[in-house]
């Protein structure tokens, strides 16, 4: 696996500088995942790339939890608005019935 990997900071076979780091996408040495040198920078799979970013980003879980909480809060607020609207509608209906009874008498 690491048989051909450089063992020190910079390795210069035939005068070419190679950094001691391996790209997670193309598995080549000398650059990292997001570098321009990687041949898969532009042509990588979008779905895999978003999953990789979610795995590597320490804030992604925090943000996703926060967005879920926001969505749940929004849904609760919408339910409360609907309940308030229903209650007001029932109150108007009661007032109308009460006025109709007064007019009948």
């Amino acid at each position: 696996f690491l048989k051909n990997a450089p063992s020190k900071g910079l390795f210069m076979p035939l005068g070419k500088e190679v950094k001691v780091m391996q790209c997670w996408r193309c598995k080549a040495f000398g650059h990292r995942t997001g570098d321009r040198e990687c041949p898969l920078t532009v042509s990588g799979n979008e779905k895999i790339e978003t999953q990789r970013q979610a795995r590597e980003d320490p804030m992604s879980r925090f943000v996703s939890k926060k967005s879920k909480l926001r969505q749940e809060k929004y849904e609760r607020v919408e339910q409360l608005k609907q309940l308030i609207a229903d209650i007001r509608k029932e109150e108007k209906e009661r007032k109308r019935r009460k006025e109709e009874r007064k007019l009948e008498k």
Side-chain angles (χ1 to χ4, degrees):
F1 165 63
L2 295 174
K3 184 170 87 174
N4 298 325
S7 60
K8 295 183 181 175
L10 294 175
F11 184 66
M12 300 180 73
L14 303 174
K16 185 173 180 182
E17 183 177 320
V18 178
K19 298 176 188 171
V20 181
M21 57 184 80
Q22 186 178 16
C23 179
W24 289 5
R25 282 200 237 154
C26 68
K27 307 297 183 209
F29 286 91
H31 62 272
R32 293 190 182 172
T33 303
D35 292 348
R36 293 180 187 167
E37 302 165 15
C38 181
L40 298 177
T41 299
V42 178
S43 64
N45 187 345
E46 294 292 325
K47 184 178 178 182
I48 293 173
E49 183 65 19
T50 54
Q51 291 174 353
R52 180 195 63 79
Q53 285 178 346
R55 271 194 321 271
E56 292 178 5
D57 185 14
M59 292 296 290
S60 66
R61 288 187 182 138
F62 175 74
V63 171
S64 65
K65 285 181 183 178
K66 199 169 187 177
S67 65
K68 287 179 185 176
L69 291 175
R70 281 186 188 155
Q71 181 66 24
E72 290 172 1
K73 183 178 178 181
Y74 177 75
E75 290 172 359
R76 279 188 249 134
V77 167
E78 290 300 318
Q79 289 174 351
L80 290 174
K81 285 181 181 178
Q82 185 64 37
L83 285 173
I84 291 171
D86 291 344
I87 290 171
R88 288 183 179 162
K89 186 177 177 182
E90 289 174 6
E91 287 177 355
K92 286 181 182 179
E93 186 67 27
R94 285 182 192 156
K95 285 182 182 180
R96 187 185 59 80
R97 287 181 191 162
K98 191 174 184 179
E99 289 177 4
E100 285 178 358
R101 288 181 193 157
K102 284 183 181 179
L103 291 175
E104 288 177 2
K105 291 182 181 180

